[in-house]
Amino acid sequence: MPTLFDPFRLKDIELRNRIAVAPMCQYSAEDGVPNDWHLVHLGARAAGGAGLVIAEGSAVSAQGRITLGDAGLWNDAQAEGWQRITAFIKRHAVPGIQLAHAGRKASAHRPWDGDDHIAADDPRAWDTMAPSPIALGGGLDRIPREMTDADIAQAREEFVAAAKRALGAGFEWLELHFAHGFLVQSFFSPLANHRRDGYGGSAEGRARFPLEVLAAVRDVWPERLPLSVRLGVTDFHPGEQPLEESIALVRRLKSIGLDLVDVSLGFNTPDVDGVPWGPGFMVPIAERIRREAAIATAAGWRIGEPRHADAIVRNAQADLILLAHAELSDPHWPYRAAHALGLPRPHELLPIQYAHWLNGREPAVAV
Ligand code: 8CM
C-alpha cells in the first residue's frame, strides 16, 4: 500500500508525494491578472514540500468571476501573469490550475467584504446566468438569467479557450470546477436546474453540460497530462440527486477522458445544516467513488493531522490528500508531517536554502 509520502504517477506526470495544495481563491487579482501575491502564495507552498499545487479557481470569462478580485485565464495578459508563477512552482512541485465559471454565484463581494451579491444597481455589478432563473439564496439572492443554447455553447468554448491558455502558461495539471454551486455544478443539481430541455429535465439532461465541457476540454488538453474535476457529489440535502447518480456521472466522465475526481460538496443551497462537518467527513464518500467508479481520487475537507492523511492513503480511501486550511496555516505542512510520521530525512522536502540548516533538527526548535 502506498503512503502519504510515496510518489504518485498520473499520465506522464509524477508527483513527489500525495499531498496537494487545494485551489484557494485569493481575491487579489486585478482584471484577472495574477501578481506577486499569487507568486508568493503558491511559490511558498510549492517550496514547502507539496507534490501538487493547484492555483485558485480562475475564471474562464469576465462574467464567470465570483468577485472582481478573481484570477482568470480568458486573455493573454492573464496567461503571461501565470507563466512566471508556473516557472517558479516547477522548480519544486507540479503546477496545476482550476478553471471555473461562477454562474449564479458571480458578481459578489469578496468574502471579507460581505460575500454577498453586489447590488444589481451598483455600477460594479454584472449580469449573471445559470441553467434556471433561480437565486441561490442567503446573501446571494440575485436571480440569474436563464441560459440559452448559445450561452451554453459559449460557456463550453470559454472552458476550452482557457484550457489552451493554461497549457501555454506552463500548467501541467488541469482541474475543472464542477462543484460548490458554480455554473457546471448547477447544471447537474436538481436543486438548481429546473430546465425542461435537453440540458435538464432528467438525470441524463442534467449530466449533459458537464459531459460536454469535459469532452471539449479533453480534446485540447494533451493526453499525456492529467485532467481532473472537482465534483460536488452531494449537498447533504433532501432535494439533491442520489449519490448513485453522481457516481454514474463520474464513470461517464472517466469514459471520455477524466483522470481523477476530487470529491467535494455541491453547495447548491445555503442550507448546509445536513453537512456532517467533522474530521475527514468526505473520506468515506471519496472511498466509495474510488471503488465504484474505479478512478483515481482526491479527498479533502477537514484533514490536517499527518497520521490521518497518511492513513487515508494507506487504506486506499484516496490517492491524493487535498489540503486547504492546513496549508494556509503552515506552508511547510509536508515537512512537519514528514517529521511527525518519523520519515528519516524530512528536511529533503524543502529547498536546499532551508534544508541545509534544518538537517537533523526538530522543526519547531527555533534556536
Ligand atoms: C471560494 C471560492 C471557490 C470555491 C470555494 C471557496 C471557498 C470555499 C470552498 O470553495 O470550499 O470553490
Side-chain angles (χ1 to χ4, degrees):
M1 271 304 153
T3 74
L4 185 63
F5 283 97
D6 282 329
F8 178 63
R9 193 175 181 83
L10 197 58
K11 296 288 181 67
D12 283 1
I13 294 299
E14 183 162 287
L15 309 180
R16 58 178 158 164
N17 55 47
R18 310 299 183 102
I19 302 166
V21 178
M24 291 180 277
C25 285
Q26 299 296 297
Y27 308 104
S28 301
E30 268 186 50
D31 298 325
V33 180
N35 52 42
D36 287 356
W37 176 261
H38 303 83
L39 175 69
V40 173
H41 163 67
L42 298 167
R45 284 155 184 83
L52 173 64
V53 176
I54 307 182
E56 67 196 77
S58 298
V60 298
S61 66
Q63 187 192 29
R65 286 179 288 184
I66 312 166
T67 77
L68 286 170
D70 287 28
L73 250 180
W74 70 85
N75 66 35
D76 292 343
Q78 294 155 356
E80 210 171 294
W82 284 117
Q83 209 150 29
R84 180 170 75 121
I85 296 168
T86 59
F88 183 87
I89 294 174
K90 272 184 207 175
R91 293 184 210 166
H92 309 284
V94 170
I97 189 165
Q98 187 188 57
L99 298 180
H101 189 300
R104 62 180 177 165
K105 294 177 99 171
S107 191
H109 294 287
R110 291 170 176 82
W112 42 88
D113 292 329
D115 216 13
D116 53 348
H117 270 140
I118 302 170
D121 59 357
D122 186 317
R124 294 171 302 172
W126 64 93
D127 180 40
T128 61
M129 62 180 193
S132 300
I134 307 165
L136 183 91
L140 297 174
D141 53 6
R142 275 269 295 281
I143 295 174
R145 181 167 62 73
E146 182 177 36
M147 289 169 74
T148 63
D149 281 358
D151 291 325
I152 292 170
Q154 185 180 328
R156 185 189 67 226
E157 291 314 307
E158 287 167 352
F159 272 95
V160 170
K164 287 186 195 163
R165 284 202 171 89
L167 185 67
F171 288 104
E172 297 176 319
W173 183 298
L174 191 66
E175 177 165 286
L176 305 179
H177 205 333
F178 287 9
H180 303 175
F182 296 121
L183 184 66
V184 182
Q185 167 81 85
S186 65
F187 269 87
F188 183 55
S189 173
L191 292 165
N193 183 347
H194 293 193
R195 298 176 79 95
R196 293 272 158 254
D197 64 1
Y199 285 100
S202 63
E204 181 72 21
R206 284 184 285 99
R208 182 170 165 195
F209 186 56
L211 288 163
E212 286 185 357
V213 172
L214 195 283
V217 168
R218 185 78 262 187
D219 274 352
V220 300
W221 184 251
E223 203 40 59
R224 68 190 161 80
L225 296 178
L227 178 59
S228 64
V229 297
R230 186 157 227 197
L231 184 65
V233 299
T234 174
D235 285 84
F236 297 101
H237 189 280
E240 69 180 334
Q241 73 287 350
L243 187 61
E244 288 71 21
E245 211 181 281
S246 299
I247 297 171
L249 176 60
V250 174
R251 285 202 195 98
R252 292 181 70 186
L253 291 166
K254 183 190 170 197
S255 75
I256 56 170
L258 180 69
D259 297 312
L260 178 141
V261 60
D262 167 3
V263 177
S264 198
L265 294 140
F267 291 139
N268 291 289
T269 159
D271 173 11
V272 291
D273 288 352
V275 179
W277 309 105
F281 70 95
M282 289 299 289
V283 172
I285 297 175
E287 178 183 18
R288 183 170 165 198
I289 289 174
R290 186 174 186 275
R291 195 176 54 243
E292 294 187 17
I295 188 166
T297 304
W301 293 97
R302 307 275 167 114
I303 301 170
E305 286 298 321
R307 276 185 202 291
H308 184 203
D310 190 44
I312 293 166
V313 175
R314 282 179 193 268
N315 295 335
Q317 292 173 293
D319 298 276
L320 289 184
I321 302 298
L322 210 63
L323 299 177
H325 286 87
E327 278 278 340
L328 276 189
S329 57
D330 183 2
H332 290 177
W333 188 93
Y335 161 68
R336 287 180 184 274
H339 252 286
L341 294 172
L343 263 71
R345 303 177 67 74
H347 58 278
E348 288 180 355
L349 279 166
L350 299 175
I352 191 65
Q353 295 95 324
Y354 300 168
H356 176 78
W357 306 105
L358 293 172
N359 184 0
R361 289 177 193 272
E362 286 298 316
V365 175
V367 288

